[in-house]
Amino acid sequence: MRYLLIGACAAAQLSLIGAAQAETPLMAPIHQFVDSFNKGDEKAAAKSFAPGTISIIDEIPPHLWVGADALRRWGRDLEAASKAGGFSDESVTLGDASREDINGNAGYVVVPVVFSYKEKGAAKREPAQIVFTLKQLSKRWLITGWTWVGGKEEPAK
């Protein structure tokens, strides 16, 4: 009986851990955006954004993009900066959100990330955070903007 109780408690804990790690409604469009970015699929990435004006702040020049075509212009500028810097194999790995707030139809999420890439063949990584704003439209959360809060680049381990 004791082993049954211990097993039941362990199963309950694993169930709670699994539920805590389950994707939240605010994280769904964020995963869609990052997964699409990692695949180089601009059209799929765009589907995670709300229609209308969006804003993007990033460490690459010109640092700010605002408007309905902000994602496209940011992608073009990122590609140019990557080419000029000799960057390749770029990808972003999302951590678990450190903050998620829902206020009516407005959402706010802070997510730790790691940006991995090669710079002229040398593997590098940059721990950072992305802060997302979202809006709920027709029961679906969509990104309205994001800000990259970069850390210090380091050699990949």
Side-chain angles (χ1 to χ4, degrees), residues 120-136:
K120 298 177 183 162
K124 302 241 178 143
R125 62 189 300 277
E126 178 186 339
Q129 291 188 350
I130 305 178
V131 179
F132 289 92
T133 57
L134 300 98
K135 184 176 190 176
Q136 190 176 34

Side-chain angles (χ1 to χ4, degrees), residues 37-59:
F37 167 82
N38 288 340
K39 293 175 187 170
D41 188 342
E42 184 179 323
K43 285 185 180 183
K47 291 179 182 177
S48 58
F49 285 81
T53 300
I54 62 169
S55 64
I56 297 171
I57 298 173
D58 199 351
E59 61 190 18

Side-chain angles (χ1 to χ4, degrees), residues 12 41 44 49 68 70 74 79 108 110 120 145 147:
D41 188 342
F49 285 81
W74 167 80
E79 188 175 332
Y108 177 85
V110 179
K120 298 177 183 162
T147 299

Side-chain angles (χ1 to χ4, degrees), residues 8-53:
C9 289
Q13 283 182 326
L14 287 174
S15 174
L16 288 174
I17 290 169
Q21 293 175 346
E23 184 167 86
T24 65
L26 293 179
M27 287 300 295
I30 294 169
H31 278 286
Q32 179 184 349
F33 166 58
V34 171
D35 292 347
S36 300
F37 167 82
N38 288 340
K39 293 175 187 170
D41 188 342
E42 184 179 323
K43 285 185 180 183
K47 291 179 182 177
S48 58
F49 285 81
T53 300

Side-chain angles (χ1 to χ4, degrees), residues 61-91:
H63 308 294
L64 175 65
W65 299 262
V66 178
D69 66 340
L71 182 63
R72 182 189 57 74
R73 290 183 291 116
W74 167 80
R76 182 192 63 215
D77 292 338
L78 175 63
E79 188 175 332
S82 295
K83 186 176 180 180
F87 299 155
S88 63
D89 301 331
E90 297 163 297
S91 68

Side-chain angles (χ1 to χ4, degrees), residues 75-119:
R76 182 192 63 215
D77 292 338
L78 175 63
E79 188 175 332
S82 295
K83 186 176 180 180
F87 299 155
S88 63
D89 301 331
E90 297 163 297
S91 68
V92 173
T93 303
L94 291 170
D96 292 331
S98 59
R99 180 174 177 180
E100 289 186 63
D101 292 334
I102 295 176
N103 298 291
N105 71 343
Y108 177 85
V109 179
V110 179
V111 184
V113 298
V114 175
F115 177 51
S116 302
Y117 59 99
K118 289 184 180 173
E119 183 177 3

